[in-house]
């Protein structure tokens, strides 16, 4: 329930159980000089927006009914040309499942009384009503069993440890809580694969699995649909592609850069990059023929990092020749060639080339003839 007067806005958070309304929290805020000049309709809407920001942890993900005595608020949601401030408020409320109901002030005595409170003992310096939300612990009003991650939320928000926790479990809890992040009203966890995922209640797990598998946009047929199909043959199977497990230094991309201005007798840069670790090896060379490619791969790559499983290059003649093919066949390395119409095949080495070029442009002198001496620093 929300209301606003010339001086104060108020909000009452409540929950209905067995058709009986129970008040949970009362909150009010005095308006500053700028807010006092707003029209009445904007004050009423500001009261609603302020209430949702204050009780966000309680209202997210649930049906919310807002009782107000100002029916014109609904007009602001459909108004095409509004102030920027009103548009921000409307967008904020669209994140919630909100239903606004008009309720006369005579039937809302508690709210109407709170919006007229001006003098009371619960004030700070400067006659401003305190906006402190004591014991702010999300999910405190949840019925039934608490969520499995409620202890983590309470600790991140308030620094409160579970009361029943023991010494050994406490060390484990303090270690695990470092991987959780609270961004109200949601809790996130950094998993072992370094991905950050949102924590959900156990009752929502089945819905997530359904959306990922059995829904029309999921990746698999649902159980009911599979049962209706009858005899399952290969024609009913969805196309599946094998996932290639690639480890560090398993796949390398190679390419030439140049020609560039002559520097210490060199005109080209030969680049080899690992597709997993993005580790770049490069050397300045006077030519770009097959001999220098084979020598570099054997001495600078194979002997230092081991033989890769695959080598990716473009269609240049310095890469597609008998000398390099015999060398790769000797060490059991597959040679993949990026076609002209699919340059993204060797995209990683192209990215490395661009980065090396940009770094060298900032390091070389005006005549650009010292790039060979700056190449190691650029790497």
């Amino acid at each position: 329930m929300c209301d606003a007067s010339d001086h104060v806005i108020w909000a009452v958070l409540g929950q209905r159980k067995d058709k009986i309304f129970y008040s949970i929290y009362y909150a009010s805020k005095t308006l500053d000089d700028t807010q006092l000049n707003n029209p009445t309709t904007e004050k009423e809407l500001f009261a609603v927006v302020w209430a949702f920001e204050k009780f966000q942890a309680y209202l997210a993900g649930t049906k919310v009914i807002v009782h107000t005595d100002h029916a014109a608020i609904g007009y602001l949601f459909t108004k095409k040309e509004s102030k920027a401030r009103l548009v921000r408020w409307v967008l904020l409320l669209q994140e919630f499942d909100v239903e606004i109901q008009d309720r006369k002030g005579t039937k809302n005595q508690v709210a109407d009384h709170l919006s007229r409170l001006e003098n009371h003992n619960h004030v700070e310096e400067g006659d401003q009503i305190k906006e402190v939300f004591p014991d702010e612990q999300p999910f405190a009003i949840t019925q039934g069993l608490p969520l499995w991650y409620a202890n983590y939320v309470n600790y991140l928000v308030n620094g409160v440890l579970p009361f029943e926790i023991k010494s050994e479990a406490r060390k484990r809890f303090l270690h695990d809580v470092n991987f959780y992040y609270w961004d109200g009203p949601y809790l996130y966890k950094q998993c072992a694969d370094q991905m950050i995922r949102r924590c959900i209640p156990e009752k929502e797990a089945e819905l997530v699995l359904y959306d990922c598998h059995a829904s029309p946009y999921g990746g698999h047929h649902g159980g009911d649909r599979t049962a209706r199909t009858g005899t399952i043959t290969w024609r009913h199977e969805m196309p599946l592609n094998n996932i290639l497990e690639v480890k560090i230094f398993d796949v390398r991309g190679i390419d030439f850069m140049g020609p560039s201005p002559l520097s210490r007798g060199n005109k080209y840069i030969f680049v080899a990059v690992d597709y997993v670790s993005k580790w770049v090896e490069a050397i300045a060379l006077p030519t770009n023929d097959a001999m220098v490619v084979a020598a570099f791969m054997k001495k600078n790559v194979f002997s230092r990092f081991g033989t890769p499983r695959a080598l990716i290059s473009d269609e240049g003649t310095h890469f597609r020749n008998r000398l390099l093919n015999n060398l790769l066949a000797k060490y059991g390395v597959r040679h993949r060639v990026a076609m002209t119409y699919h340059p993204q095949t060797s995209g990683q080495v192209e990215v490395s080339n661009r980065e090396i070029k940009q770094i060298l442009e900032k390091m070389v002198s005006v005549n650009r003839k010292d790039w060979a001496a700056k190449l190691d620093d650029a790497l």
Side-chain angles (χ1 to χ4, degrees):
M1 294 181 290
C2 303
D3 195 11
S5 66
D6 294 337
H7 306 279
V8 184
I9 60 175
W10 70 268
V12 177
L13 176 66
Q15 192 174 38
R16 194 176 297 275
K17 182 179 180 182
D18 299 332
K19 298 183 179 181
I20 300 177
F21 182 82
Y22 295 90
S23 298
I24 297 174
Y25 195 84
Y26 299 89
S28 57
K29 169 183 172 62
T30 55
L31 302 177
D32 55 29
D33 296 337
T34 304
Q35 296 166 345
L36 290 175
N37 297 326
N38 293 338
T40 304
T41 305
E42 294 188 15
K43 290 181 181 178
E44 296 284 349
L45 181 59
F46 175 64
V48 177
V49 174
W50 175 78
F52 272 87
E53 289 181 343
K54 191 172 189 64
F55 303 125
Q56 182 181 17
Y58 295 87
L59 305 180
T62 183
K63 175 73 174 181
V64 183
I65 300 177
V66 178
H67 296 284
T68 179
D69 60 352
H70 203 80
I73 291 181
Y75 165 73
L76 297 178
F77 286 89
T78 59
K79 187 178 180 181
K80 296 183 179 180
E81 297 181 0
S82 301
K83 302 177 183 178
R85 179 176 64 254
L86 297 180
V87 173
R88 290 196 301 268
W89 290 350
V90 173
L91 291 177
L92 175 65
L93 294 179
Q94 287 180 353
E95 299 179 4
F96 301 89
D97 186 4
V98 184
E99 177 184 348
I100 296 181
Q101 295 184 1
D102 183 26
R103 191 172 188 177
K104 296 181 180 180
T106 56
K107 296 183 179 180
N108 202 12
Q109 296 91 343
V110 177
D112 200 51
H113 173 69
L114 284 174
S115 63
R116 285 162 173 77
L117 286 177
E118 297 182 25
N119 298 318
H120 46 73
N121 296 326
H122 194 64
V123 297
E124 295 178 339
E125 296 183 2
D127 296 332
Q128 293 291 324
I129 298 178
K130 291 183 179 180
E131 298 182 21
V132 179
F133 199 5
D135 299 329
E136 182 177 0
Q137 298 183 10
F139 316 114
I141 62 173
T142 301
Q143 300 294 328
L145 296 176
L147 298 176
W148 65 270
Y149 53 83
N151 291 335
Y152 296 107
V153 175
N154 292 333
Y155 181 81
L156 293 175
V157 175
N158 296 318
V160 178
L161 286 169
F163 296 104
E164 68 281 359
I165 194 170
K166 297 181 180 179
S167 58
E168 297 181 358
R170 176 174 178 173
K171 295 180 180 179
R172 181 65 180 176
F173 177 84
L174 294 176
H175 173 268
D176 295 342
V177 78
N178 294 324
F179 299 98
Y180 289 87
Y181 306 93
W182 173 250
D183 186 10
Y186 300 116
L187 180 69
Y188 298 87
K189 181 184 179 182
Q190 183 178 4
C191 302
D193 57 358
Q194 305 304 315
M195 294 293 293
I196 297 179
R197 297 179 173 89
R198 183 168 70 90
C199 302
I200 62 173
E202 293 180 351
K203 63 180 181 181
E204 295 184 11
E206 295 183 1
L207 298 177
V208 174
L209 293 175
Y210 173 82
D211 290 339
C212 295
H213 294 268
S215 63
Y217 48 85
H220 305 276
H221 295 307
D224 297 336
R225 182 178 175 184
T226 303
R228 291 196 303 267
T229 306
T231 304
I232 304 298
T233 65
W234 64 270
R235 295 183 179 181
H236 300 99
E237 296 180 359
M238 300 185 68
L240 300 177
N241 296 323
N242 294 329
I243 299 177
L244 177 62
E245 182 181 356
V246 180
K247 298 181 180 180
I248 187 170
F249 301 138
D250 271 359
V251 179
R252 282 191 171 272
I254 57 176
D255 196 11
F256 270 105
M257 296 174 57
S260 302
L262 191 64
S263 175
R264 294 186 177 182
N266 300 306
K267 297 179 61 177
Y268 298 91
I269 299 177
F270 182 70
V271 180
V273 57
D274 175 49
Y275 268 59
V276 176
S277 64
K278 310 301 186 294
W279 180 266
V280 179
E281 289 287 331
I283 187 175
L285 297 171
T287 60
N288 62 339
D289 52 31
M291 292 290 295
V292 297
V293 174
F296 179 83
M297 295 301 299
K298 186 175 181 180
K299 296 181 180 179
N300 294 67
V301 177
F302 293 175
S303 61
R304 293 182 59 193
F305 306 100
T307 55
R309 295 169 57 185
L311 190 69
I312 301 176
S313 69
D314 56 25
E315 295 181 295
T317 56
H318 36 255
F319 298 133
R320 302 190 65 181
N321 54 76
R322 183 178 299 178
L323 178 62
L324 185 60
N325 291 339
N326 292 339
L327 176 65
L328 298 181
K330 176 182 178 181
Y331 290 98
V333 181
R334 290 188 177 185
H335 189 192
R336 300 297 186 183
V337 179
M339 308 302 291
T340 306
Y341 295 101
H342 298 280
Q344 65 271 20
T345 306
S346 58
Q348 184 57 51
V349 69
E350 297 294 343
V351 172
S352 302
N353 291 349
R354 184 174 65 249
E355 294 296 328
I356 292 176
K357 180 181 177 181
Q358 292 177 354
I359 295 173
L360 284 176
E361 288 176 348
K362 300 176 182 179
M363 300 175 62
V364 297
S365 59
V366 178
N367 56 20
R368 298 187 176 184
K369 293 184 178 181
D370 59 341
W371 59 263
K374 302 289 186 180
L375 181 58
D376 290 339
D377 294 336
L379 291 177

